[in-house]
Structure formats: structure tokens, C-alpha cells
């Protein structure tokens, strides 16, 4: 059913969603974060994982998780942000994660990006392997960024695996054949708002064909807003539209899709544990 005023899908009472990947520390949310979180609550998005992409944003993600009971954090270094990274950077990041395990539920996002290549591919691969090993040592699920680098991403995941804590291919951009190889590693696949675009045939097939138990939902906000907000700032409340689209594509109810994807996120990221807001640790 839809709210006629906003043409927004409406979840049944007691059913909630998880936005498994958002970047709430970014400047795009600086002016109205509280409004963004309130809209998420109104649209039954009860949990948001905000993602670290470098040491500074990882610290900001933890601060947000400390301030807001619905937010959890990840920490890691994105392939766009590797040029200044040293062994000391990793040592400090490891120590930071260990000191903040109460709020950190994943390692990433990390991976390979051959589209923009802000860092030479060989350097990216070396750092990717280092961070995969860190994720395993920390016993955290790994959050993977893969853009136009499917073959090398898969090879390194196979070489560095297995990953007992699991992982997720965030903002999945491959076809169903590649998805099957990722699932064979025991990873989940996260579907972004791109699935609402009618020209996203490969992603729509993936969203339909993979097992429901392997499916997560995300916004990747502030990027990649779904229809009808395409081209505008994305935010966690919009994951409801992605959920509705995937449910329709799969021929199942929105409630069933929401229950399953929420359970998958809770299991992968260990979101069962209680968390309360706390005073900020300014040393972080």
C-alpha cells in the first residue's frame, strides 16, 4: 500500500528496514541530519550503518554511532584514499577499531576502483589485501567496493579467504554470473537504489535471482538516489523505495522482503547487541 500524499510505500506495523550502507558523516547531511534521521524513522528505517572511507571519516562514523542509537559504524580506507596511507596508518586504525568495538560492526569500505583510478591498480591491490587481512584479524565482516574490477576483486577475495565473519559486496554492479561467484564465497550482496532504474537490467536480474537469505539493501547515500529522486541527494528513508521495487520484482510482499533483508543485516553485522548513546570520547 502507498501513502497517497507522498506516493511512498508503507510497511506494516512492527516491520522495519536496515540501510546497510550510508555516508552520514558527509557534508551533504551537515545542515539537516536530525531531519534526515527523523524521516528514516517515519519510513521504518530503524537502523543505519554509516561507513568509514578513511581514518577521519571512520572516527566521524563512530561519533555518530555514539550519539544516535539507530546508527552503527564501520571503519576502513576506500581505494580512492590510499595515496597517503602507511603502515603507521594501519596500526593506528587497528588500535582505533579495537578501542571502539562497541560501535563498529564492519570493516570497510575497502576494495578496488578501476573506473576513476585515483590510485594505481597495483597499489590498490596491495592495500586491498592488507585490509582484507586486517578485517580477518579483527573478526569483522568486510564491506567491499568493486567498480570495474570484478576479476581482480574476486581473485583477491579467494586468495585471502575464507572470511569467517562474512562480508558484503556493497552497491553490487556485476551481472548474475559474477553474483553467483560472490555468493560462493559466503558473501552477501547489497542492492542499491539503482535497481529502481528501468535500464538496470543486470542488477534487476541479480535482485530477483539470488537467494533472499543473501540479500541486503542500501542507499549509499548521499549518492545514487532511487526513482523518483534520481539525481538528488539520497538518504536512508529512500531505502523503503528500493525495498518496494525489489519486492515487486521478486513477486513477494514488501513485508516479507523487509523482514528477510533486516534479518540478514542483523545477522551479518551482529546488530542484536544493545547499544545506548554515550558521551563522546574526544580522544577518538
Amino acid at each position: 500500500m502507498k501513502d497517497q500524499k507522498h506516493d511512498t510505500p508503507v510497511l506494516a506495523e512492527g516491520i522495519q528496514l536496515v540501510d546497510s550502507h550510508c555516508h552520514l558523516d558527509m557534508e551533504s547531511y551537515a545542515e539537516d541530519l536530525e531531519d534526515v534521521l527523523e524521516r528514516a524513522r517515519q519510513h521504518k528505517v530503524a537502523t543505519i550503518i554509516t561507513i568509514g572511507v578513511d581514518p577521519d571519516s571512520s572516527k566521524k562514523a563512530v561519533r555518530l554511532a555514539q550519539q544516535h542509537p539507530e546508527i552503527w559504524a564501520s571503519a576502513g580506507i576506500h581505494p580512492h584514499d590510499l595515496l597517503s596511507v602507511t603502515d603507521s596508518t594501519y596500526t593506528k586504525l587497528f588500535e582505533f577499531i579495537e578501542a571502539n568495538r562497541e560501535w563498529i560492526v564492519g570493516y570497510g569500505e575497502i576494495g578496488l576502483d578501476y573506473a576513476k583510478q585515483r590510485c594505481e591498480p597495483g597499489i590498490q591491490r596491495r592495500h586491498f589485501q592488507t585490509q582484507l587481512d586486517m578485517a580477518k584479524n579483527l573478526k569483522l565482516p568486510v564491506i567491499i567496493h568493486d567498480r570495474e574490477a570484478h576479476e581482480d576483486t574476486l581473485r583477491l577475495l579467494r586468495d585471502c579467504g575464507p572470511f569467517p565473519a562474512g562480508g558484503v559486496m556493497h552497491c553490487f554492479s556485476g551481472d548474475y554470473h559474477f553474483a553467483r561467484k560472490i555468493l560462493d564465497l559466503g558473501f552477501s550482496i547489497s542492492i542499491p537504489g539503482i535497481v529502481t532504474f528501468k535500464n538496470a537490467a543486470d542488477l534487476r536480474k541479480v535482485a530477483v535471482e539470488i537467494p533472499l537469505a543473501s540479500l541486503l539493501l542500501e542507499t549509499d547515500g548521499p549518492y545514487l538516489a532511487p526513482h523518483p529522486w534520481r539525481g538528488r541527494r539520497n538518504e536512508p528513508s529512500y531505502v523503503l523505495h528500493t525495498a518496494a521495487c525489489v519486492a515487486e520484482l521478486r513477486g513477494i510482499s514488501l513485508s516479507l522482503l523487509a523482514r528477510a533483508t533486516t534479518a540478514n543485516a542483523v545477522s551479518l553485522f551482529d546488530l542484536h547487541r544493545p547499544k545506548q548513546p554515550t558521551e563522546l570520547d574526544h580522544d577518538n
Side-chain angles (χ1 to χ4, degrees):
M1 103 180 251
K2 293 189 176 182
D3 177 322
Q4 296 300 315
K5 182 179 179 181
H6 301 290
D7 196 32
T8 299
V10 178
L11 276 171
E13 193 66 32
I15 300 176
Q16 299 176 327
L17 286 163
V18 174
D19 180 357
S20 68
H21 194 111
C22 192
H23 297 277
L24 292 176
D25 70 292
M26 288 190 172
E27 189 66 26
S28 298
Y29 300 110
E31 297 297 322
D32 65 341
L33 179 60
E34 293 302 326
D35 292 337
V36 167
L37 295 178
E38 178 57 30
R39 284 191 292 272
R41 287 188 285 269
Q42 290 173 359
H43 291 82
K44 306 291 186 66
V45 182
T47 304
I48 305 160
I49 301 175
T50 191
I51 304 297
V53 297
D54 59 32
D56 184 57
S57 75
S58 297
K59 292 175 182 178
K60 291 177 181 177
V62 167
R63 291 189 189 106
L64 287 169
Q66 290 173 331
Q67 292 174 303
H68 301 279
E70 68 267 49
I71 297 176
W72 297 87
S74 79
I77 304 176
H78 190 283
H80 289 343
D81 298 288
L82 296 171
L83 290 178
S84 63
V85 173
T86 65
D87 289 345
S88 175
T89 306
Y90 286 127
T91 298
K92 292 176 181 177
L93 183 61
F94 190 98
E95 292 171 349
F96 171 77
I97 293 171
E98 286 281 70
N100 291 278
R101 293 297 291 256
E102 181 178 350
W103 301 284
I104 294 174
V105 297
Y107 190 95
E109 67 184 279
I110 64 172
L112 303 174
D113 193 314
Y114 293 173
K116 294 186 177 180
Q117 286 199 28
R118 295 181 184 174
C119 185
E120 194 271 326
I123 295 174
Q124 289 189 47
R125 290 191 292 270
R126 177 170 59 83
H127 283 280
F128 188 28
Q129 183 169 353
T130 296
Q131 293 197 86
L132 288 172
D133 289 341
M134 277 185 62
K136 289 179 66 174
N137 289 336
L138 288 161
K139 297 181 173 60
L140 286 171
V142 64
I143 301 163
I144 304 298
H145 174 101
D146 162 39
R147 190 171 180 195
E148 298 183 16
H150 299 336
E151 184 176 334
D152 282 349
T153 298
L154 183 63
R155 177 178 58 81
L156 283 167
L157 289 174
R158 285 172 170 168
D159 289 349
C160 295
F163 297 89
V168 58
M169 187 67 71
H170 123 80
C171 197
F172 189 79
S173 61
D175 59 16
Y176 179 67
H177 179 67
F178 181 60
R180 287 301 326 170
K181 294 178 180 180
I182 294 300
L183 295 176
D184 287 344
L185 297 174
F187 276 48
S188 299
I189 286 175
S190 185
I191 303 296
I194 295 170
V195 76
T196 66
F197 305 167
K198 291 185 178 180
N199 62 349
D202 283 347
L203 182 59
R204 287 184 163 212
K205 179 176 174 60
V206 170
V208 169
E209 297 293 337
I210 67 171
L212 191 54
S214 301
L215 188 66
L216 299 182
L217 301 174
E218 67 170 87
T219 57
D220 199 19
Y223 312 109
L224 304 176
H227 177 80
W229 293 279
R230 187 174 182 176
R232 297 170 58 183
R233 183 190 72 176
N234 203 356
E235 63 177 68
S237 63
Y238 296 168
V239 81
L240 178 56
H241 291 264
T242 301
C245 177
V246 173
E248 182 176 359
L249 290 170
R250 293 183 72 106
I252 62 176
S253 71
L254 175 57
S255 293
L256 176 58
L257 190 283
R259 285 193 186 98
T261 55
T262 294
N264 297 341
V266 167
S267 176
L268 176 62
F269 293 110
D270 190 24
L271 305 178
H272 301 90
R273 45 179 155 148
K275 178 170 77 75
Q276 297 297 326
T278 187
E279 293 295 324
L280 293 181
D281 180 351
H282 296 288
D283 291 334
N284 291 338

